[in-house]
Amino acid sequence: HVQLVESGGGSAQVGGSLRLSCSASADALMYMAWFRQAPGQKREAVAAITTGGSSTMYHDSVKGRFTISRESGKNTVHLQMNSLMPEDSGVYYCAGDRSYGAWYMESQYKYWGRGTQVTVS
């Protein structure tokens, strides 16, 4: 059973930074992503990274501000969030899957973490 555990959420001021981390217990490398969900909103994809870390994908709203990375050879990913805005607030979920597909779709990912709260004010 694969488990994903997020850490690093919390509160930040507008313009500030936070760094989220996620570790997955899977033996094989997985494609991994971050999603977020604001109150009353649908969950949306924020960023994703391939197994080797050579390719990254971002939602337009976070390009240039957020950076997804992974530790080499591990299912540990980080999301560095800079220049935070109130609209970045929400619960951030880490997701992973062994197959590659539409990175922005929830249905692409089989494994999910429980989420970590990010509040920007």
Side-chain angles (χ1 to χ4, degrees), residues 60-80:
D60 285 347
S61 67
V62 306
K63 285 180 180 178
R65 301 188 299 120
F66 290 11
T67 302
I68 188 171
S69 62
R70 72 185 300 153
E71 296 182 16
S72 180
K74 298 181 180 180
N75 283 320
T76 299
V77 296
H78 306 286
L79 185 68
Q80 178 65 43

Side-chain angles (χ1 to χ4, degrees), residues 26-46:
D27 292 333
L29 289 176
M30 299 193 296
Y31 297 93
M32 299 186 74
W34 287 96
F35 283 71
R36 67 186 178 191
Q37 187 170 25
Q41 303 294 318
K42 292 177 59 178
R43 190 154 55 181
E44 65 177 4
V46 175

Side-chain angles (χ1 to χ4, degrees), residues 96-112:
D97 199 276
R98 296 188 178 93
S99 301
Y100 178 74
W103 71 273
Y104 49 88
M105 294 185 66
E106 289 186 60
S107 58
Q108 172 60 33
Y109 302 92
K110 181 176 181 179
Y111 306 105
W112 291 83

